[in-house]
Amino acid sequence: MGAGMDEKTRRFLPAWDPVVRFLHWWNAAAMAAMVALGIVFKVCMSTEPGGGPGPASKLVSLHAAVGLLLGAGVMARVVWLFIGSETARLGDMLPFSPRNRKVFADTVRFYLRGFRGEPPLYLAHNSFAGAAYIGFFVLAAVQVATGSSMLGLPGDLRHKSLAFYVHGVVFLLLLLYIAVHLAAVFIHEITEKRGIVSAMIHGEKTFTDDESEAVIEAHPFVRKGEFDERED
């Protein structure tokens, strides 16, 4: 590789604790299963207008079991918002502090420039996306609650209930969230070059020397020597 910006030393700083990473992939897997089962359920349900025995009714138990797993994961993550590590907490997600408000404003400007120029600098959560994360927790909770409320209802009553309608609407909103989330992760992975995706596996994001100093100054719990220096 020739001389240039790409040869700068990259420092690995701890961003995500093991609980955050585990719950992230737990909820991602549960959501993927829920979406797949939801689509299959809707297709099969269209062939069972009377709600009698058939493929759709056989999927209800599996769909409900996965929904409960998602609910458990979301509940655990919400608890971890208040008792977890600094980067796992609610205060790191939302623009409450001056530092997070700056990240929020820098992200808005970055988007308005068409993802050109200097990307926002932050260690873990981007506070602009924080509201979307909280929105996901709310939507997932509503989905689990409405799904649970329909368990045991006969098919004809279930399909006519308000809970069934809300469940369907929230399902579409969750699909929209997933699409936007994946697009945003892709954009920030490419433009920031800090290893967002891999950090959700091993816990560390990469920063240049200058970025590292700014991040360490903003986050006193990150000390020099707590990360490895590696060359790209």
Side-chain angles (χ1 to χ4, degrees):
M1 186 184 296
M5 293 292 291
D6 289 339
E7 285 190 340
K8 281 188 174 181
T9 300
R10 309 289 297 190
R11 292 181 173 179
F12 281 62
L13 302 184
W16 308 116
D17 65 57
V19 175
V20 168
R21 303 197 310 268
F22 174 79
L23 290 175
H24 174 87
W25 294 114
W26 174 287
N27 290 330
M31 272 301 306
M34 286 289 289
V35 168
L37 286 169
I39 292 173
V40 173
F41 185 82
K42 284 181 178 293
V43 170
C44 292
M45 189 183 67
S46 65
T47 67
E48 301 175 39
S57 60
K58 294 177 181 177
L59 283 172
V60 170
S61 296
L62 179 59
H63 187 74
V66 176
L68 292 176
L69 291 177
L70 175 63
V74 170
M75 183 179 297
R77 185 62 184 93
V78 169
V79 170
W80 204 242
L81 284 175
F82 299 96
I83 67 172
S85 62
E86 181 173 325
T87 59
R89 297 196 177 199
L90 185 64
D92 190 62
M93 281 189 174
L94 299 176
F96 293 153
S97 66
R99 179 189 71 228
N100 283 0
R101 285 194 290 272
K102 181 178 186 305
V103 171
F104 186 99
D106 289 347
T107 303
V108 171
R109 285 191 289 267
F110 183 62
Y111 286 174
L112 292 177
R113 291 195 303 264
F115 313 112
R116 293 187 295 271
E118 193 69 24
L121 178 63
Y122 52 96
L123 175 60
H125 290 102
N126 182 311
S127 53
F128 180 79
Y133 300 144
I134 301 302
F136 166 75
F137 297 148
V138 172
L139 289 175
V142 171
Q143 196 72 341
V144 172
T146 53
S148 299
S149 71
M150 292 186 289
L151 290 177
L153 288 178
D156 54 345
L157 293 180
R158 182 171 64 241
H159 301 161
K160 295 176 183 178
S161 67
L162 176 62
F164 182 80
Y165 173 77
V166 173
H167 202 71
V169 171
V170 173
F171 176 76
L172 296 177
L173 292 175
L174 285 170
L175 287 180
L176 177 62
Y177 169 84
I178 292 170
V180 173
H181 178 68
L182 292 177
V185 168
F186 175 79
I187 289 170
H188 283 269
E189 181 78 21
I190 297 300
T191 58
E192 294 177 3
K193 298 180 175 63
R194 296 177 188 138
I196 295 175
V197 175
S198 59
M200 197 51 74
I201 297 173
H202 55 64
E204 297 178 324
K205 291 173 65 176
T206 66
F207 299 88
T208 65
D209 286 339
D210 291 342
E211 290 173 342
S212 297
E213 294 302 322
V215 167
I216 291 170
E217 182 179 356
H219 298 275
F221 73 94
V222 179
R223 303 297 181 191
K224 294 182 179 179
E226 290 186 359
F227 49 80
D228 298 323
E229 279 193 37
R230 309 176 192 175
E231 295 289 339
D232 280 351

